[in-house]
Amino acid sequence: MQAKQHLNQYLKQSVEGVGQGELILLLYEAGITFLNMGKVKIQERDIEGAHNALVRAINVVRELMASLNTERGGEIARNLLSLYAFINRRIVEANSKKECAGIEEALFLMEQLKETWAKAIKIHQENSASKPAATAGPKNLKGEDKSQFKGISIRS
């Protein structure tokens, strides 16, 4: 029950106040787990099991979509929204046809996004650690270029 472990980990850490970046990473991990489970269930010809796993993957993707703030995140957030919509559509198609091609495509994209997100978190943490506390973050910038802080904003 690896998927159940991911879900329990997600719930436990969200209650304990994990940062938004780590929560997004956990969503990617849960989505990947459900997609892999759906693929295995299709190969085993377990139609109900495949459906349930893929519906869970769809729910994860929809949560990722809902977490975007396209106003603050700008073009990057809008592009991510389009990508999530594509992933969602491929999973829905794979679920209705019970074929693995759409799952493979969604898996590839989710794994790439997870990897990229993990790198972004690491860079952010390294940058935050190297800055003095008084100047860390866009709230403390006065008249300086804030473009370096543009990115994906997650709804609170």
Side-chain angles (χ1 to χ4, degrees):
M1 279 288 154
Q2 188 179 10
K4 207 171 209 175
Q5 289 172 338
H6 281 290
L7 180 61
N8 288 339
Q9 181 184 10
Y10 168 77
L11 292 173
K12 179 182 176 197
Q13 290 186 342
S14 66
V15 170
E16 293 173 357
V18 168
Q20 292 175 340
E22 286 84 4
L23 289 175
I24 297 298
L25 206 51
L26 286 171
L27 282 171
Y28 284 131
E29 289 171 1
I32 289 166
T33 298
F34 292 133
L35 287 168
N36 280 318
M37 189 184 313
K39 189 169 77 169
V40 167
K41 296 295 183 182
I42 287 173
Q43 292 166 345
E44 293 174 348
R45 300 200 192 306
D46 178 356
I47 303 303
E48 185 178 351
H51 172 76
N52 291 338
L54 294 176
V55 165
R56 287 179 174 165
I58 289 166
N59 288 340
V60 167
V61 173
R62 289 181 178 166
E63 185 62 34
L64 287 166
M65 292 170 83
S67 72
L68 290 171
N69 182 333
T70 54
E71 289 177 24
R72 290 184 62 202
E75 185 179 350
I76 292 172
R78 287 189 297 277
N79 289 341
L80 265 177
L81 187 59
S82 294
L83 189 56
Y84 291 153
F86 174 78
I87 292 169
N88 185 67
R89 189 170 49 254
R90 293 301 290 143
I91 299 169
V92 168
E93 290 169 1
N95 194 17
S96 67
K97 296 177 183 177
K98 297 298 183 264
E99 65 180 18
C100 292
I103 297 171
E104 291 289 341
E105 226 174 315
L107 261 171
F108 174 78
L109 293 169
M110 291 285 282
E111 287 167 348
Q112 295 298 310
L113 287 165
K114 177 189 164 207
E115 209 174 287
T116 303
W117 195 260
K119 286 178 186 176
I121 291 171
K122 183 178 178 186
I123 290 169
H124 176 72
Q125 289 170 342
E126 288 170 356
N127 288 342
S128 295
S130 67
K131 290 182 182 179
T135 61
K139 290 180 185 174
N140 295 321
L141 293 177
K142 296 191 190 244
E144 294 180 27
D145 179 21
K146 297 179 186 178
S147 64
Q148 65 182 345
F149 297 104
K150 283 187 176 179
I152 302 165
S153 297
I154 308 300
R155 262 194 330 202
S156 299

